[in-house]
Structure formats: structure tokens, C-alpha cells
Amino acid sequence: MRLTRADGLLLDTDPARIDLDLVHHWLSTDAFWALGRERETTARAVANSLVIGVYSAGHAEQLAFARVVTDRATFGWLCDVYVDRPARGRGIGTWIAESAVDLLAPYGLSRLLLSTKDAHQVYARAGFEPVREPQKLMMVVPRPRP
């Protein structure tokens, strides 16, 4: 998927375009959910996901990143959505979320989930809504302790 907005920004799902060093830097130093993440972990996550990158009007500079973990049949998880701080406030996060929904529509997934601490309005504009029965989703296997 390649989309160009009226302002010239490019959204592209080509994994070869992703600047892995930049994405790792963003996530491991500025994303509360991924602070300290190892570069190898970021590399494996990117390699095993559908990826979305957003690029500047000249298409040279990466401005944002997201990935979707999915079986392409029943379930998807939109995660690691990150917009570079200077590019925030331009609707890029919502554009990513809307594009993820469109990208996955042909698969007929039963659900597409995400987790957000502070950007609910961004995802609501793309059609996401609070889980109706969160108690059914609130179990986790905790990380193994070192």
C-alpha cells in the first residue's frame, strides 16, 4: 500500500523502506512501552509484522512508524505506533490507524485491537472504540524475570 496525502506525505507498507535504526531509537528511547528495547528485538518485531512507515513530502525522511501483528484471518494487533515529535499534531497517527484498518479489511478479521495510554481520540477517529467487555481481555503471561 502506498498513499500520498495532499500535503505530500507518503504512507508506505514496504518493509524495505523502514529505517530500522531510527525506529529502534524512537521506540527504545521515547516510547514508554518499549523503553530499553534491544535492537535485535525491534528487528525481529519488524521482520514478523506488517509495517507502516510515513515519510516526508520529499519521501526521504521517515516521520512515523507502526506495525500490525496478525494471522491475516481472525485477529490483528496495531502496535508500536510512533510519530516523531516534530511531526506530531498533523493527523499522522490517525492516518496510520485508518490505513491499518483499510489494509486489513480484505482479511475480514474478527477484531483489530490496540492498546493506548493517552491517544484515545487519535484512534477513535479511525473507528476504534473501547472494548465492551475488557474483563475478557485482561489476562497476560508476565515477562519472565531475569
Side-chain angles (χ1 to χ4, degrees), residues 87-121:
R88 293 180 186 175
R90 297 167 56 189
I92 294 171
T94 298
W95 189 32
I96 287 171
E98 290 169 340
S99 298
V101 170
D102 292 345
L103 178 66
L104 296 166
Y107 300 117
L109 304 182
S110 302
R111 65 184 46 90
L112 175 59
L113 299 176
L114 64 83
S115 177
T116 184
K117 180 172 89 171
D118 56 5
H120 295 86
Q121 73 286 355

Short mmCIF file of all heavy atoms in Angstrom, two decimals, residues 87-121:
data_model
loop_
_atom_site.label_atom_id
_atom_site.label_comp_id
_atom_site.label_asym_id
_atom_site.label_seq_id
_atom_site.Cartn_x
_atom_site.Cartn_y
_atom_site.Cartn_z
N ALA A 87 6.85 15.99 14.12
CA ALA A 87 5.80 15.75 13.13
C ALA A 87 4.42 15.58 13.76
O ALA A 87 3.43 15.42 13.04
CB ALA A 87 6.15 14.52 12.30
N ARG A 88 4.33 15.61 15.07
CA ARG A 88 3.05 15.40 15.74
C ARG A 88 2.11 16.57 15.53
O ARG A 88 2.52 17.68 15.23
CB ARG A 88 3.28 15.14 17.23
CG ARG A 88 3.98 13.82 17.45
CD ARG A 88 4.24 13.52 18.90
NE ARG A 88 5.05 12.29 18.98
CZ ARG A 88 5.54 11.81 20.10
NH1 ARG A 88 5.28 12.39 21.26
NH2 ARG A 88 6.26 10.71 20.07
N GLY A 89 0.81 16.29 15.67
CA GLY A 89 -0.21 17.32 15.52
C GLY A 89 -0.64 17.54 14.08
O GLY A 89 -1.36 18.51 13.80
N ARG A 90 -0.25 16.66 13.19
CA ARG A 90 -0.58 16.81 11.76
C ARG A 90 -1.51 15.70 11.28
O ARG A 90 -1.69 15.52 10.08
CB ARG A 90 0.70 16.83 10.93
CG ARG A 90 1.59 18.01 11.26
CD ARG A 90 2.99 17.91 10.71
NE ARG A 90 3.05 17.71 9.28
CZ ARG A 90 4.17 17.42 8.62
NH1 ARG A 90 5.31 17.33 9.26
NH2 ARG A 90 4.15 17.24 7.32
N GLY A 91 -2.08 14.92 12.20
CA GLY A 91 -3.01 13.86 11.82
C GLY A 91 -2.34 12.59 11.33
O GLY A 91 -3.01 11.71 10.78
N ILE A 92 -1.05 12.47 11.53
CA ILE A 92 -0.32 11.30 11.03
C ILE A 92 -0.73 10.03 11.77
O ILE A 92 -0.92 8.98 11.16
CB ILE A 92 1.20 11.54 11.10
CG1 ILE A 92 1.60 12.66 10.13
CG2 ILE A 92 1.96 10.25 10.80
CD1 ILE A 92 3.04 13.13 10.26
N GLY A 93 -0.90 10.11 13.08
CA GLY A 93 -1.31 8.94 13.86
C GLY A 93 -2.67 8.41 13.42
O GLY A 93 -2.86 7.20 13.25
N THR A 94 -3.61 9.32 13.21
CA THR A 94 -4.93 8.91 12.73
C THR A 94 -4.83 8.32 11.33
O THR A 94 -5.47 7.30 11.03
CB THR A 94 -5.91 10.10 12.75
OG1 THR A 94 -6.05 10.55 14.10
CG2 THR A 94 -7.27 9.71 12.19
N TRP A 95 -4.02 8.92 10.48
CA TRP A 95 -3.83 8.40 9.12
C TRP A 95 -3.27 6.98 9.17
O TRP A 95 -3.72 6.10 8.43
CB TRP A 95 -2.92 9.34 8.34
CG TRP A 95 -2.79 9.06 6.87
CD1 TRP A 95 -3.75 8.53 6.04
CD2 TRP A 95 -1.66 9.32 6.05
NE1 TRP A 95 -3.26 8.44 4.76
CE2 TRP A 95 -1.98 8.93 4.73
CE3 TRP A 95 -0.40 9.84 6.30
CZ2 TRP A 95 -1.09 9.05 3.67
CZ3 TRP A 95 0.48 9.98 5.24
CH2 TRP A 95 0.13 9.58 3.94
N ILE A 96 -2.32 6.74 10.04
CA ILE A 96 -1.76 5.39 10.20
C ILE A 96 -2.86 4.42 10.63
O ILE A 96 -2.99 3.33 10.07
CB ILE A 96 -0.60 5.39 11.21
CG1 ILE A 96 0.64 6.06 10.60
CG2 ILE A 96 -0.27 3.97 11.67
CD1 ILE A 96 1.76 6.30 11.59
N ALA A 97 -3.63 4.79 11.65
CA ALA A 97 -4.67 3.91 12.17
C ALA A 97 -5.73 3.62 11.09
O ALA A 97 -6.14 2.46 10.91
CB ALA A 97 -5.31 4.51 13.41
N GLU A 98 -6.17 4.65 10.38
CA GLU A 98 -7.15 4.45 9.31
C GLU A 98 -6.58 3.54 8.22
O GLU A 98 -7.28 2.65 7.70
CB GLU A 98 -7.54 5.80 8.69
CG GLU A 98 -8.36 6.67 9.59
CD GLU A 98 -8.50 8.09 9.07
OE1 GLU A 98 -7.69 8.54 8.21
OE2 GLU A 98 -9.42 8.78 9.54
N SER A 99 -5.33 3.74 7.88
CA SER A 99 -4.70 2.93 6.84
C SER A 99 -4.54 1.48 7.29
O SER A 99 -4.69 0.56 6.48
CB SER A 99 -3.34 3.53 6.46
OG SER A 99 -3.53 4.83 5.93
N ALA A 100 -4.24 1.27 8.56
CA ALA A 100 -4.15 -0.10 9.08
C ALA A 100 -5.50 -0.79 8.97
O ALA A 100 -5.57 -1.96 8.55
CB ALA A 100 -3.67 -0.08 10.52
N VAL A 101 -6.56 -0.09 9.32
CA VAL A 101 -7.91 -0.66 9.19
C VAL A 101 -8.18 -1.03 7.73
O VAL A 101 -8.65 -2.13 7.42
CB VAL A 101 -8.97 0.33 9.73
CG1 VAL A 101 -10.38 -0.13 9.37
CG2 VAL A 101 -8.83 0.49 11.23
N ASP A 102 -7.86 -0.13 6.81
CA ASP A 102 -8.07 -0.39 5.38
C ASP A 102 -7.20 -1.54 4.88
O ASP A 102 -7.66 -2.37 4.10
CB ASP A 102 -7.78 0.87 4.56
CG ASP A 102 -8.78 1.99 4.80
OD1 ASP A 102 -9.86 1.72 5.36
OD2 ASP A 102 -8.45 3.14 4.45
N LEU A 103 -5.95 -1.57 5.31
CA LEU A 103 -5.01 -2.60 4.89
C LEU A 103 -5.52 -4.00 5.30
O LEU A 103 -5.36 -4.97 4.55
CB LEU A 103 -3.64 -2.33 5.52
CG LEU A 103 -2.52 -3.33 5.26
CD1 LEU A 103 -2.15 -3.33 3.79
CD2 LEU A 103 -1.31 -2.99 6.12
N LEU A 104 -6.13 -4.08 6.46
CA LEU A 104 -6.57 -5.38 6.99
C LEU A 104 -8.00 -5.74 6.58
O LEU A 104 -8.41 -6.89 6.75
CB LEU A 104 -6.44 -5.39 8.50
CG LEU A 104 -5.00 -5.25 8.98
CD1 LEU A 104 -4.95 -4.92 10.46
CD2 LEU A 104 -4.20 -6.50 8.68
N ALA A 105 -8.75 -4.80 6.03
CA ALA A 105 -10.15 -5.05 5.67
C ALA A 105 -10.34 -6.28 4.78
O ALA A 105 -11.26 -7.07 5.00
CB ALA A 105 -10.76 -3.81 5.03
N PRO A 106 -9.50 -6.51 3.77
CA PRO A 106 -9.71 -7.68 2.90
C PRO A 106 -9.63 -9.03 3.63
O PRO A 106 -10.16 -10.02 3.14
CB PRO A 106 -8.59 -7.58 1.87
CG PRO A 106 -8.17 -6.16 1.88
CD PRO A 106 -8.39 -5.68 3.28
N TYR A 107 -9.00 -9.06 4.80
CA TYR A 107 -8.86 -10.31 5.53
C TYR A 107 -10.10 -10.67 6.34
O TYR A 107 -10.22 -11.79 6.81
CB TYR A 107 -7.63 -10.26 6.45
CG TYR A 107 -6.34 -10.03 5.70
CD1 TYR A 107 -5.58 -8.89 5.94
CD2 TYR A 107 -5.88 -10.93 4.75
CE1 TYR A 107 -4.40 -8.66 5.25
CE2 TYR A 107 -4.70 -10.71 4.06
CZ TYR A 107 -3.96 -9.58 4.32
OH TYR A 107 -2.80 -9.36 3.64
N GLY A 108 -11.00 -9.72 6.55
CA GLY A 108 -12.20 -9.98 7.32
C GLY A 108 -11.93 -10.38 8.77
O GLY A 108 -12.60 -11.25 9.31
N LEU A 109 -10.95 -9.73 9.39
CA LEU A 109 -10.59 -10.06 10.77
C LEU A 109 -11.78 -9.90 11.71
O LEU A 109 -12.58 -8.98 11.55
CB LEU A 109 -9.46 -9.17 11.26
CG LEU A 109 -8.17 -9.13 10.44
CD1 LEU A 109 -7.16 -8.23 11.12
CD2 LEU A 109 -7.61 -10.52 10.24
N SER A 110 -11.89 -10.78 12.68
CA SER A 110 -12.93 -10.66 13.70
C SER A 110 -12.69 -9.45 14.60
O SER A 110 -13.62 -8.83 15.08
CB SER A 110 -12.98 -11.91 14.58
OG SER A 110 -13.20 -13.05 13.80
N ARG A 111 -11.41 -9.14 14.85
CA ARG A 111 -11.10 -7.99 15.67
C ARG A 111 -9.70 -7.46 15.36
O ARG A 111 -8.81 -8.22 15.02
CB ARG A 111 -11.25 -8.29 17.15
CG ARG A 111 -10.29 -9.30 17.73
CD ARG A 111 -10.55 -9.63 19.19
NE ARG A 111 -11.92 -9.88 19.53
CZ ARG A 111 -12.51 -11.07 19.49
NH1 ARG A 111 -11.83 -12.12 19.12
NH2 ARG A 111 -13.76 -11.20 19.81
N LEU A 112 -9.61 -6.15 15.49
CA LEU A 112 -8.34 -5.45 15.40
C LEU A 112 -8.22 -4.65 16.69
O LEU A 112 -9.06 -3.80 16.97
CB LEU A 112 -8.29 -4.53 14.18
CG LEU A 112 -7.05 -3.65 14.03
CD1 LEU A 112 -5.78 -4.47 13.97
CD2 LEU A 112 -7.18 -2.76 12.80
N LEU A 113 -7.21 -4.95 17.47
CA LEU A 113 -7.04 -4.32 18.77
C LEU A 113 -5.82 -3.41 18.79
O LEU A 113 -4.94 -3.51 17.94
CB LEU A 113 -6.85 -5.39 19.85
CG LEU A 113 -7.98 -6.38 20.06
CD1 LEU A 113 -7.56 -7.43 21.09
CD2 LEU A 113 -9.24 -5.68 20.50
N LEU A 114 -5.78 -2.56 19.79
CA LEU A 114 -4.60 -1.79 20.12
C LEU A 114 -4.69 -1.44 21.58
O LEU A 114 -5.73 -1.58 22.20
CB LEU A 114 -4.45 -0.55 19.25
CG LEU A 114 -5.51 0.55 19.35
CD1 LEU A 114 -5.26 1.48 20.52
CD2 LEU A 114 -5.51 1.35 18.08
N SER A 115 -3.59 -0.98 22.11
CA SER A 115 -3.54 -0.52 23.48
C SER A 115 -2.94 0.88 23.46
O SER A 115 -1.93 1.10 22.81
CB SER A 115 -2.68 -1.47 24.32
OG SER A 115 -2.56 -1.00 25.63
N THR A 116 -3.59 1.81 24.16
CA THR A 116 -3.06 3.17 24.22
C THR A 116 -3.31 3.75 25.60
O THR A 116 -4.35 3.50 26.20
CB THR A 116 -3.66 4.07 23.13
OG1 THR A 116 -3.03 5.35 23.19
CG2 THR A 116 -5.16 4.23 23.27
N LYS A 117 -2.33 4.48 26.07
CA LYS A 117 -2.46 5.12 27.37
C LYS A 117 -3.05 6.52 27.24
O LYS A 117 -3.83 6.94 28.09
CB LYS A 117 -1.08 5.19 28.03
CG LYS A 117 -1.06 5.83 29.40
CD LYS A 117 0.29 5.69 30.07
CE LYS A 117 1.18 6.85 29.71
NZ LYS A 117 2.43 6.89 30.49
N ASP A 118 -2.73 7.21 26.15
CA ASP A 118 -3.06 8.63 26.11
C ASP A 118 -3.52 9.16 24.75
O ASP A 118 -3.65 10.36 24.58
CB ASP A 118 -1.86 9.43 26.58
CG ASP A 118 -0.61 9.13 25.77
OD1 ASP A 118 -0.69 8.37 24.79
OD2 ASP A 118 0.45 9.67 26.12
N ALA A 119 -3.77 8.31 23.79
CA ALA A 119 -4.12 8.81 22.45
C ALA A 119 -5.47 8.26 21.98
O ALA A 119 -5.66 8.00 20.80
CB ALA A 119 -3.02 8.45 21.46
N HIS A 120 -6.40 8.12 22.89
CA HIS A 120 -7.69 7.52 22.55
C HIS A 120 -8.40 8.26 21.42
O HIS A 120 -8.98 7.62 20.53
CB HIS A 120 -8.59 7.47 23.80
CG HIS A 120 -8.05 6.57 24.85
ND1 HIS A 120 -7.12 7.00 25.79
CD2 HIS A 120 -8.26 5.27 25.11
CE1 HIS A 120 -6.81 6.00 26.57
NE2 HIS A 120 -7.47 4.93 26.19
N GLN A 121 -8.35 9.58 21.41
CA GLN A 121 -9.04 10.35 20.37
C GLN A 121 -8.43 10.11 19.00
O GLN A 121 -9.14 10.13 18.00
CB GLN A 121 -9.06 11.84 20.73
CG GLN A 121 -7.74 12.58 20.58
CD GLN A 121 -6.71 12.28 21.66
OE1 GLN A 121 -6.97 11.58 22.63
NE2 GLN A 121 -5.50 12.81 21.51
#
